[in-house]
Amino acid sequence: MTTSIDAPPARLLIGSEWVDSTDGNTFAVYNPSNEEVLAEVADASETDAVEALVAAKAAAAAWSTTPARIRSDILLSAFHRIIERREELAGLISLENGKSLKDARAEVCYAAEYFRWYAEEAVRLRGELFENPTGTNRVLVSYEPVGICVLVTPWNFPAAMATRKIGPALAAGCTAILKPAAETPLTALKIAEILLEAGLPPGVLNVLPTSNAGTVVNSLLEDDDVRLLSFTGSTEVGRMLLARASGKVLKTAMELGGNAPFIVLDDADLEEAVDGAMIAKMRNGGQACTAANRFYVHRSLHDRFVESFVSRLRDVQVADGFLEDTQCGPLINSEAVTKVHGLVVDAITHGAECVLGGAPLDRKGHFYPPTLLVNVPENADILKEEVFGPVVSIVAFDTDAEAVVAANATQYGLVSYLYTGNLERGLRMCGELEAGMIALNRGLVSDPSAPFGGIKQSGLGREGSREGLLEYVEAKYVATNW
């Protein structure tokens, strides 16, 4: 059972102070399970963005020279505090995001791991010393913090997407300004509060909830002392931010959209594949950039796969995410319901058959049931767009080459899923699939120790692993003789 929830400050964090916005404006945060207002949160303006920059600049020099062990200890302390307050944080995530408590608890642990991982990486950022090939001089390479970072996070994983950016930024010695999604700012504010309790100095992390994301982020990017933009969100918004960042030649890390294929070969273990499909599709109700959207199943297994998958989906309990028995909560808002249902209707119009679900639930909250479509034609929008909902589209195929061509027929390249009983066959296909990450006989790829990121229009750079830390530093090379 969840414990009582200690409400986070519903204000801006600038320096060491929790403050109201300078113009006194607020915006409402809603519970998507019942459409009720959870909190009124301070609504940051351009003036507040300037104040946050002042605080980040004031803290930058001292934080960049703070010994790595101290930075590490602060992150590790925050890790332990998050784990100790797992139930409280899970309840908060469930209330403002709508996801089931089971998913929310898993997210809290996942989020905390980024702080532990980067606590460990902070003390292992080593440079290099070597003689150049001609023997004329020595090469000394060191890594320095990139500078002030602007971190923009989405609503679907409000804890993990924050810690995945904050962790490496702080470990590298950068100060940062976090702009959380307007739908889910409370979790980010709670994490910031925990970091302050863990000993983070004032101004190292500033948090600006706002309903005016474009205006606030653009004003931050105009400052010459901002040197990195890290964004997780849609490809469409990512393109606009890249254009804006190019004007200042900012370093950028972009984790953008996905349209993941899930391939089941003829030699796959059917039930293992269905188990993996349930995770890849239904984690967070399908509201994940890594969610499997397009299921390509070998024709010899197609009917049995559909039957088993439908049986599992039919038993999923769809309800208020804050209830213990819930397995799938609501979508984030009414616009999301409209979009998901529009894709389903378009697919059916083009000839797909709806085997399960297919319409919004008639109840308060933004609920869409698990839905499964078969015989989905190539020209259906649902095979081309990121769904962000609990909808499965299944297409039969006959050859490995056919499956690879279909899987790669997208502008996205974040993750692909592949099930086969033959490791050699699977690894060969992994080399042919155009994705930054492959889940081979698994339904989950997310791991703080692994480089998370995509190719094509799914993003730039990597988060997690050592690669994630390198996004927040610049290499400095000194040529010398001795």
Side-chain angles (χ1 to χ4, degrees):
M1 292 292 292
T2 57
T3 58
S4 60
I5 296 173
D6 181 15
R11 306 168 88 184
L12 316 179
L13 175 60
I14 298 178
S16 62
E17 302 296 325
W18 296 100
V19 298
D20 293 326
S21 61
T22 52
D23 57 16
N25 289 340
T26 63
F27 65 94
V29 177
Y30 294 89
N31 181 340
S33 290
N34 57 26
E35 303 176 55
E36 295 177 359
V37 175
L38 278 175
E40 290 285 342
V41 178
D43 195 354
S45 65
E46 290 181 82
T47 303
D48 298 308
V50 171
E51 292 300 315
L53 283 165
V54 170
K57 292 176 187 181
W63 184 245
S64 68
T65 57
T66 296
R69 175 58 66 197
I70 294 177
R71 299 198 301 265
S72 172
D73 287 346
I74 291 170
L75 286 169
L76 192 59
S77 175
F79 160 78
H80 288 298
R81 290 166 188 269
I82 289 172
I83 293 300
E84 289 169 2
R85 296 161 74 170
R86 177 188 175 195
E87 287 297 299
E88 177 189 345
L89 280 161
L92 184 59
I93 291 169
S94 181
L95 286 173
E96 69 172 346
N97 170 277
K99 68 177 64 180
S100 70
L101 283 171
K102 178 182 177 182
D103 278 350
R105 289 172 179 133
E107 181 185 345
V108 173
C109 293
Y110 176 47
E113 281 298 328
Y114 279 106
F115 279 172
R116 177 156 68 172
W117 176 262
Y118 284 110
E120 296 165 344
E121 288 295 296
V123 297
R124 294 181 176 86
L125 187 59
R126 301 186 179 99
E128 294 180 276
L129 173 64
F130 58 92
E131 186 176 63
N132 79 349
T134 63
T136 58
N137 64 274
R138 302 285 172 86
V139 174
L140 175 64
V141 181
S142 60
Y143 293 98
E144 298 181 350
V146 67
I148 297 172
C149 304
V150 173
L151 316 176
V152 182
T153 55
W155 51 261
N156 58 336
F157 287 87
M161 296 304 96
T163 61
R164 193 159 78 179
K165 297 181 188 301
I166 295 169
L170 301 191
C174 300
T175 59
I177 300 169
L178 173 67
K179 201 293 294 179
E183 293 86 352
T184 56
L186 301 177
T187 302
L189 292 168
K190 177 60 71 172
I191 288 171
E193 184 180 55
I194 289 171
L195 279 164
L196 292 178
E197 292 171 2
L200 190 70
V204 174
L205 177 66
N206 306 273
V207 185
L208 298 178
T210 181
S211 64
N212 303 297
T215 299
V216 169
V217 172
N218 286 340
S219 67
L220 292 171
L221 299 185
E222 285 300 313
D223 191 281
D224 290 337
D225 289 320
V226 169
R227 295 310 313 147
L228 179 140
L229 167 65
S230 180
F231 170 75
T232 297
S234 72
T235 295
E236 292 73 20
V237 175
R239 290 190 194 108
M240 291 188 288
L241 288 173
L242 281 169
R244 175 69 66 169
S246 68
K248 291 289 185 177
V249 196
L250 295 185
K251 193 172 186 181
T252 58
M254 295 275 158
E255 198 272 282
L256 306 177
N259 190 13
F262 190 107
I263 302 171
V264 183
L265 300 184
D266 57 352
D267 61 356
D269 183 300
L270 182 67
E271 289 310 312
E272 284 188 8
V274 174
D275 287 343
M278 286 294 295
I279 297 170
K281 177 73 264 184
M282 294 305 296
R283 180 174 176 238
N284 197 27
Q287 297 177 105
C289 57
T290 56
N293 290 332
R294 304 170 291 139
F295 288 75
Y296 298 103
V297 183
H298 193 273
R299 200 170 302 278
S300 65
L301 294 179
H302 177 273
D303 291 351
R304 286 188 292 148
F305 182 86
V306 170
E307 180 181 4
S308 180
F309 206 175
V310 167
S311 176
R312 296 281 295 276
L313 291 171
R314 185 176 285 119
D315 291 338
V316 170
Q317 180 70 30
V318 180
D320 186 324
F322 201 67
L323 301 176
E324 283 289 347
D325 294 335
T326 296
Q327 295 170 291
C328 179
L331 300 186
I332 189 64
N333 52 37
S334 60
E335 291 80 7
V337 174
T338 299
K339 177 197 170 184
V340 169
H341 188 53
L343 290 171
V344 170
V345 170
D346 174 79
I348 294 171
T349 300
H350 282 88
E353 177 187 352
C354 185
V355 179
L356 180 71
L361 297 181
D362 186 16
R363 64 171 78 158
K364 194 165 188 176
H366 309 303
F367 292 96
Y368 204 91
T371 295
L372 190 143
L373 307 172
V374 296
N375 302 323
V376 182
E378 291 182 3
N379 59 346
D381 289 343
I382 204 164
L383 295 183
K384 305 171 188 175
E385 298 183 20
E386 190 170 30
V387 179
F388 247 61
V391 180
V392 175
S393 299
I394 299 182
V395 179
F397 71 88
D398 295 300
T399 68
D400 290 7
E402 180 187 347
V404 169
V405 168
N408 291 341
T410 174
Q411 66 177 330
Y412 301 107
L414 186 61
V415 60
S416 295
Y417 300 86
L418 174 63
Y419 272 79
T420 175
N422 185 316
L423 181 60
E424 181 180 357
R425 183 185 186 189
L427 290 174
R428 173 182 57 77
M429 287 190 70
C430 286
E432 297 169 349
L433 290 168
E434 296 172 354
M437 302 177 288
I438 312 275
L440 179 56
N441 294 325
R442 284 180 55 82
L444 185 67
V445 293
S446 300
D447 183 337
S449 68
F452 187 105
I455 61 174
K456 300 199 283 191
Q457 294 198 41
S458 284
L460 301 167
R462 293 295 181 266
E463 294 187 308
S465 76
R466 184 173 188 269
E467 285 87 342
L469 181 59
L470 294 179
E471 298 287 346
Y472 291 86
V473 296
E474 296 283 13
K476 177 177 282 187
Y477 141 58
V478 176
T480 187
N481 301 319
W482 77 78

